[in-house]
Amino acid sequence: MKSQNYILGFDIGSSSVKTSLVEAATGNVVASAFYPKTEAPIISLKPGWAEQDPQMWWENLKLGLASVMREAGALPANIMAIGISYQMHGLVCVDKQQRVLRPAIIWCDSRAVPYGDRAFQELGADVCLPRLLNSPGNFTASKLAWVKENEPEIFERIDKIMLPGDYIAMKLSGIVNTTVSGLSEGMLWDFQNHCPASFLTDYFGFSQTILPDVVPTFSKQSVVSKEVATELGLCEGIPIAYRAGDQPNNALSLNVLNPGEIASTAGTSGVVYGILDKINYDKQSRVNTFAHVNHSAEQTRLGVLLCINGTGILNAWMRRNIAQELSYSDMNELASGVSIGSDGVKVIPFGNGAERVIQNKELGCSIHGVNFNNHTKAHLLHAAQEGIVFSFCYGMEIMRRMGMDIHKIHAGEANMFLSPIFRDMLAGVSGATIELYNTDGSVGAARGAGLGAGIYQSAEEAFATLAKVAEITPKENLRGHYLEAYAAWKEVLEQSIK
């Protein structure tokens, strides 16, 4: 057994739970694991619905924890803190005994759209936008409104609602709490009054007692309970010292904390996330504004989030249904033989629920311009990646109009950013340099916990070992071709959403 001190980071995704064990002194990752080894199931009882069993997250966390402790030969007594990253906008409901009352309604579930739209219309944009910075939309508060109307017997039994990360912290500690950043992503934080959004909970008919207590993002939020320490093979009293939604946490993991800095991910869904130091919002809520991990009443730090649901999931669908015999690397190699613009084939990638960037419309994925004589599997694979990139750029146009300066994008070397086609195309269309770093959400969560527990005294110390592994600059000689292909794709999209 080794005697170094470690920090644990958990990333509760919709595809898997990732666990990383980080050496506190060096910031080096000594072990990591993810479970399940195939994509976690999403329950979809009706079109547009998406649910998961929270107990599944917990069971996969236990598997990952056991794996990293075994791989590193770490002593339980040397775990100094725990940090949690989680899929955003979910709804977990528990009773007074902290028993889950129904499957979690997760981020890509679109059933709550009408509830958020009605609240926005009846409360008014002049109330919602300055206070929530968004329409209530398809977020956690609106999902709870759906439960209240459609499952009243469950609603009556709810003691607390939580986000997925709050649930994991509750399982570890027996304590229910949340953060300002968490409440803001659920449309439950009032930025004008710096308190929970009573005007919206009153409108929906929720008591504010249903909300967890608020704790600072970087702090000793709770500690591992004796019972759970026995279950997990850890020590009682380890502080849970940080939690954040996956996109604010991804920005933290890339050391994106200050105005003008940009972070991106391209996993199941895709995100561009930039930091503002003043209150601002998109009047149509096509991109969303939340409290960043370092936001406070004294220091405005807001994350402007562009989310595209149909990103890596489109590439995975192409593999399952079009290219079963190929690896992702093989798919990239095949697609690389196709020119910019995919010889006229265009893919609109919105097949994973309602898309905020097109005002919560649910277009579905569509493929345009296929010629049976000329086009091949390679064209479909290339056009799919173009469609993902172009949807990013469509949203980035909105962010630029809000005052966001997008000239450099920080990202982890993972998921779609492993694809040379995707990287070159994103740099080419956006005009931004892409910097790739060797990190991920679970590592970021561990470093965040190091800050929250006082192991690190500053972000500079916490991220001193963050390593840049690649830089992709726009190819100026191809810029015109990329922009021409984007304009043609955008024309098809705008015809589709009329």
Side-chain angles (χ1 to χ4, degrees), residues 6-10 17-22 29-35 61-75 79 234 442:
Y6 302 101
I7 313 169
L8 270 171
F10 297 116
V17 174
K18 178 80 180 286
T19 304
S20 286
L21 192 63
V22 173
V29 180
V30 296
S32 63
F34 70 92
Y35 287 89
L61 179 150
K62 290 195 292 184
L63 291 170
L65 173 61
S67 176
V68 299
M69 295 294 283
R70 183 171 58 249
E71 179 184 345
L75 290 166
I79 305 300
L234 294 177
S442 59

Side-chain angles (χ1 to χ4, degrees), residues 289-361:
T289 307
F290 307 113
H292 193 34
V293 293
N294 56 341
H295 174 78
S296 67
E298 298 74 34
Q299 174 182 269
T300 299
R301 290 293 183 269
L302 303 177
V304 179
L305 186 151
L306 159 68
C307 181
I308 305 296
N309 290 346
T311 302
I313 195 170
L314 167 60
N315 212 38
W317 187 91
M318 284 285 177
R319 186 184 182 199
R320 287 196 308 271
N321 295 283
I322 307 296
Q324 298 98 325
E325 75 283 6
L326 301 179
S327 67
Y328 287 118
S329 178
D330 291 337
M331 288 167 61
N332 290 334
E333 185 175 350
L334 182 60
S336 67
V338 175
S339 60
I340 297 168
S342 302
D343 293 332
V345 179
K346 301 171 185 68
V347 175
I348 305 298
F350 300 145
N352 193 28
E355 290 282 0
R356 275 168 270 166
V357 76
I358 52 173
Q359 295 181 269
N360 282 319
K361 290 184 172 66

Side-chain angles (χ1 to χ4, degrees), residues 194-210:
H194 308 293
C195 65
S198 58
F199 77 95
L200 187 63
T201 56
D202 289 349
Y203 169 83
F204 281 137
F206 314 148
S207 167
Q208 285 217 1
T209 61
I210 210 169

